[in-house]
Amino acid sequence: MNENISQNTTENRFELAMEGKTAIVEYALSGDIITFLHTEVPPQLEGRGIGSTLAKYVLEYAKANHLKVSLQCPFIRSYIDRHPEYTSLLLHQPQ
């Protein structure tokens, strides 16, 4: 499924198109900090792990590009809570 994810730099989002619908992770990039703002999966695609696939992809993108991660998106935050291997990417480490 990862091969279907693309980065839309015009819209500042990562997109996964499937069955005529598009799931997204919106972001803001400032220097070496990427802020994940919002994750949205269309109702027709929910329950298939698409949000988690996107979360993993964007976090791997941040890691590969040496970006620190700031979170405003509760979905990405909960993904990191379940996958602590990504905690080191966070701009603000949990206490």
Side-chain angles (χ1 to χ4, degrees), residues 41-80:
V41 176
Q44 301 88 333
L45 301 178
E46 288 178 355
R48 300 191 204 175
I50 291 170
S52 293
T53 297
L54 275 167
K56 180 177 182 178
Y57 183 91
V58 300
L59 291 167
E60 288 293 331
Y61 174 88
K63 182 194 258 184
N65 289 281
H66 309 288
L67 299 171
K68 281 296 194 184
V69 171
S70 178
L71 296 173
Q72 291 184 15
C73 174
F75 184 84
I76 303 286
R77 182 178 308 280
S78 69
Y79 184 88
I80 291 174

Side-chain angles (χ1 to χ4, degrees), residues 15-58:
E15 303 174 337
L16 191 157
M18 191 173 179
E19 299 175 12
K21 307 292 180 197
T22 303
I24 63 165
V25 174
E26 295 175 336
Y27 68 88
L29 187 61
S30 178
D32 65 347
I33 299 170
I34 190 164
T35 302
F36 295 118
L37 305 168
H38 177 69
T39 300
E40 186 173 323
V41 176
Q44 301 88 333
L45 301 178
E46 288 178 355
R48 300 191 204 175
I50 291 170
S52 293
T53 297
L54 275 167
K56 180 177 182 178
Y57 183 91
V58 300

